[in-house]
Amino acid sequence: MSELAPPVAALIEEFSKLPGIGIKTAQRLTFYVLRSPADQARRLAEAILRVKESIIYCSRCFNITEHDPCSICQDPQRDRQLVCVVEEPLDVLALERTGAYKGLYHVLHGALSPLEGIGPDNLRIKELLERVRHEEIHEIVLATNPNFEGEYTANYLVSRLRELKSELAPRQLKITSLARGLPIGGDLEYADEGTLRRSIEGRLDLGA
Amino acid sequence: MRQQRSYSTRAIVLKRINLGEADRIVTLLTPTHGKIQVVAKGVRRPTSKLAGHLELLCHSQLQLALGRDLDIVTQAEGRESFLDLRMSQWHMTCGFYLAELVDRFLEEQTQHSGVYFLMLEMLRALDADAARSPQEESIDQANDPLHTLSQLLLRYFEIHLLSQVGYEPAFRACAHCAAELRPEPNGFSPSLGGALCPRCSRFWSRPLSVKALHVLRVLQRSEWQAVPHWRLSASLLLEIERVMHDLLRFHLERDLKTWSFLEMLRLERNLDSPALPSAQNL
């Protein structure tokens, strides 16, 4: 890399620190930036800076936001008695795209994982329990990922929330989870035992 | 002769690490290839045909294609998914623990069919135990608040895993002077690899009660099916666990990450569990 001008070499090095980007891809990206119009490069640089400088966590739901509280927490149209617990901010985005959910969120920022040493203190679990204590929440929808770690996290949350229930009386707290079942566009024969079993248990009445 | 491009194997999923957009590197325990790492492509997408069969602790039949660095999963069909185990926080944590132990003790690409069959037997037993414990925590607590059977299962697994990888603990004769151990207060030393008689007490790192030694011996010499369904006191269970953890810590030179989770669940339970009636004389 000694042949390259130092600014070029520096950009290649920075790109190659990104996840999934090796040295060859970093070189391609760098030369793409080099050949692209100056204002496009400036917009990229500004976007990166803005993300670091202006993005904060919502103090209520811990989603990423520019303003605290975030736009979802501030929205008066939202059902404040309903809180959906997700692992990552991107999960909020996925649920919002459906347009079917009208409640608030709580972002844990990960899932419990004994194998990686991620415990309850590494996630926003304490904050969730505080919210349940102090806000008029009537239903918690657990929407952690439908894998082993996600279910482990959900199991943990259920036991903590159950402990809390007596404290909340007379307010009722319903704990629900997203349904498990077959993906649209999938093939029944490839479905695993766990998914099929849950699909049968949660079969729908078509009202014929 | 042309080398075969793919092979088929049974496997237990020990660990998964996300890779790229939607892939995962999966660590498997197989009967013939030992512990191997393979790539499962696209398994993080909801429509993946492989995903459900490559969940943690699943026992599956896999077809693997030879890759440049890591082999690639081309087909997967679940044999056992241990769904009951996945309904209980405690049993899930035990499952995590078995996977972590195996992952720490086994080198990659070394055949350990004994460990594979041991792990499978333990997962089946854990699953059956989880199925027996009702889901409602309160009923569960009345029956077996300490999870005695699953705690003994963890100790059984530790002892037999150590034996399989060549660190068999000595519970019959003194690990220092080889004198036969008698039913009297003995001691234990992880660095000497087992129990020590009172005459070698200068090497003790902790005392070992008669009851604890008895339980450890039974676990070591029995098949799992033949291990009695004791009701043991919390302190005895803790003593046996400390002994085994000392030994594991000595061999691995570190603590296991799952220990703190098992401890956390135990603390939650012990807070409100009453003193236990002992059903058997131990």
Side-chain angles (χ1 to χ4, degrees):
Chain A
M1 204 90 64
S2 57
E3 309 288 314
L4 285 170
V8 178
L11 187 56
I12 291 175
E13 200 189 319
E14 290 309 317
F15 271 135
S16 65
K17 286 177 188 163
L18 298 178
I21 306 243
I23 194 84
K24 284 288 169 202
T25 314
Q27 287 170 359
R28 263 200 305 279
L29 290 174
T30 304
F31 280 92
Y32 172 78
V33 171
L34 208 56
R35 289 195 199 102
S36 60
D39 67 306
Q40 192 181 334
R42 187 169 299 115
R43 277 204 301 277
L44 173 67
E46 279 168 6
I48 292 174
L49 283 178
R50 221 175 33 243
V51 134
K52 282 314 285 179
E53 283 161 4
S54 65
I55 293 297
I56 47 170
Y57 292 122
C58 171
S59 60
R60 198 163 173 203
C61 70
F62 297 94
N63 196 4
I64 47 174
T65 173
E66 259 187 300
H67 312 284
D68 184 24
C70 70
S71 55
I72 296 177
C73 288
Q74 271 183 334
D75 187 349
Q77 303 295 316
R78 293 264 170 178
D79 181 353
R80 270 148 216 289
Q81 301 190 338
L82 189 60
V83 170
C84 178
V85 181
V86 296
E87 289 181 19
E88 298 293 344
L90 285 175
D91 299 332
V92 174
L93 206 67
L95 286 164
E96 281 300 288
R97 271 202 302 268
T98 65
Y101 180 71
K102 299 290 178 215
L104 303 180
Y105 291 93
H106 189 90
V107 184
L108 295 174
H109 290 276
L112 293 177
S113 172
L115 292 181
E116 287 163 46
I118 301 174
D121 296 340
N122 304 108
L123 306 178
R124 302 287 187 178
I125 290 179
K126 231 184 330 181
E127 289 85 347
L128 173 68
L129 299 177
E130 279 306 302
R131 275 184 82 178
V132 175
R133 257 190 209 108
H134 298 120
E135 293 176 28
E136 269 296 304
I137 297 170
H138 288 235
E139 180 175 347
I140 294 278
V141 187
L142 298 176
T144 51
N145 283 330
N147 57 32
F148 206 89
E149 285 86 353
E151 285 181 0
Y152 187 73
T153 312
N155 273 344
Y156 179 79
L157 290 176
V158 169
S159 62
R160 301 325 310 251
L161 289 168
R162 214 182 262 156
E163 284 168 18
L164 214 63
K165 268 188 167 177
S166 56
E167 225 178 278
L168 299 177
R171 173 165 41 116
Q172 291 292 313
L173 180 68
K174 199 161 129 191
I175 308 167
T176 56
S177 90
L178 292 191
R180 302 283 187 263
L182 297 164
I184 293 171
D187 250 23
L188 196 69
E189 65 167 312
Y190 288 112
D192 60 284
E193 197 189 319
T195 308
L196 271 178
R197 189 158 125 177
R198 302 278 190 90
S199 314
I200 295 167
E201 285 165 2
R203 64 189 184 278
L204 299 176
D205 185 354
L206 299 179
Chain B
M1 203 179 81
R2 260 187 67 190
Q3 202 196 352
Q4 261 199 316
R5 304 290 309 150
S6 75
Y7 59 100
S8 164
T9 183
R10 293 215 172 175
I12 302 167
V13 179
L14 294 181
K15 200 165 89 177
R16 301 159 325 145
I17 307 167
N18 289 347
L19 175 74
E21 180 107 333
D23 307 343
R24 274 199 179 116
I25 295 179
V26 183
T27 309
L28 302 171
L29 176 65
T30 66
T32 46
H33 300 76
K35 185 177 94 172
I36 51 171
Q37 285 200 324
V38 298
V39 176
K41 292 194 182 276
V43 283
R44 281 149 65 203
R45 296 202 177 94
T47 49
S48 165
K49 291 169 186 170
L50 303 175
H53 309 287
L54 290 172
E55 268 295 288
L56 203 67
L57 302 179
C58 260
H59 177 222
S60 297
Q61 179 75 40
L62 306 179
Q63 190 70 27
L64 297 164
L66 296 182
R68 202 166 41 175
D69 296 318
L70 299 176
D71 297 343
I72 296 160
V73 184
T74 55
Q75 291 172 37
E77 191 179 285
R79 296 273 166 202
E80 293 161 275
S81 357
F82 307 113
L83 295 175
D84 289 315
L85 183 153
R86 294 174 61 166
M87 304 304 287
S88 139
Q89 181 90 24
W90 167 259
H91 292 89
M92 277 177 117
T93 316
C94 293
F96 271 120
Y97 179 50
L98 302 188
E100 188 182 11
L101 265 181
V102 171
D103 188 41
R104 289 263 179 248
F105 269 103
L106 296 198
E107 291 295 319
E108 274 183 47
Q109 310 272 9
T110 328
Q111 194 184 333
H112 275 293
S113 55
V115 177
Y116 168 82
F117 289 111
L118 176 66
M119 174 100 177
L120 205 54
E121 186 189 7
M122 293 298 100
L123 285 175
R124 286 177 183 148
L126 262 182
D127 194 53
D129 188 48
R132 265 195 304 275
S133 336
Q135 279 174 36
E136 281 300 318
E137 296 282 312
S138 51
I139 304 170
D140 185 9
Q141 292 231 341
N143 282 346
D144 183 8
L146 299 171
H147 285 306
T148 313
L149 192 67
S150 42
Q151 289 215 52
L152 285 174
L153 182 142
L154 298 184
R155 304 293 88 78
Y156 180 91
F157 185 77
E158 289 160 352
I159 293 172
H160 289 264
L161 177 69
L162 283 172
S163 304
Q164 291 280 350
V165 296
Y167 298 124
E168 179 158 335
F171 292 133
R172 300 224 54 88
C174 171
H176 183 250
C177 69
E180 190 167 342
L181 295 170
R182 295 141 57 93
E184 59 192 346
N186 289 293
F188 182 82
S189 158
S191 56
L192 291 172
L196 298 171
C197 68
R199 269 176 304 158
C200 299
S201 61
R202 62 191 184 282
F203 298 114
W204 288 11
S205 73
R206 62 163 65 241
L208 184 64
S209 70
V210 178
K211 286 177 184 176
L213 182 62
H214 176 70
V215 172
L216 288 166
R217 278 181 170 183
V218 171
L219 290 177
Q220 187 175 40
R221 63 158 191 254
S222 308
E223 297 283 320
W224 172 249
Q225 295 300 335
V227 171
H229 287 212
W230 291 306
R231 278 290 182 97
L232 307 181
S233 69
S235 59
L236 182 56
L237 282 170
L238 197 62
E239 182 186 358
I240 301 165
E241 181 187 88
R242 295 244 162 96
V243 165
M244 288 312 297
H245 284 190
D246 278 359
L247 199 54
L248 295 169
R249 193 181 290 114
F250 174 77
H251 288 304
L252 292 171
E253 296 178 344
R254 68 167 91 199
D255 283 6
L256 284 148
K257 288 178 180 161
T258 328
W259 282 349
S260 56
F261 284 78
L262 289 165
E263 184 66 25
M264 174 180 87
L265 292 182
R266 188 182 27 234
L267 287 178
E268 277 173 20
R269 275 176 183 280
N270 282 4
L271 285 179
D272 47 359
S273 69
L276 275 180
S278 59
Q280 225 173 331
N281 242 357
L282 249 174

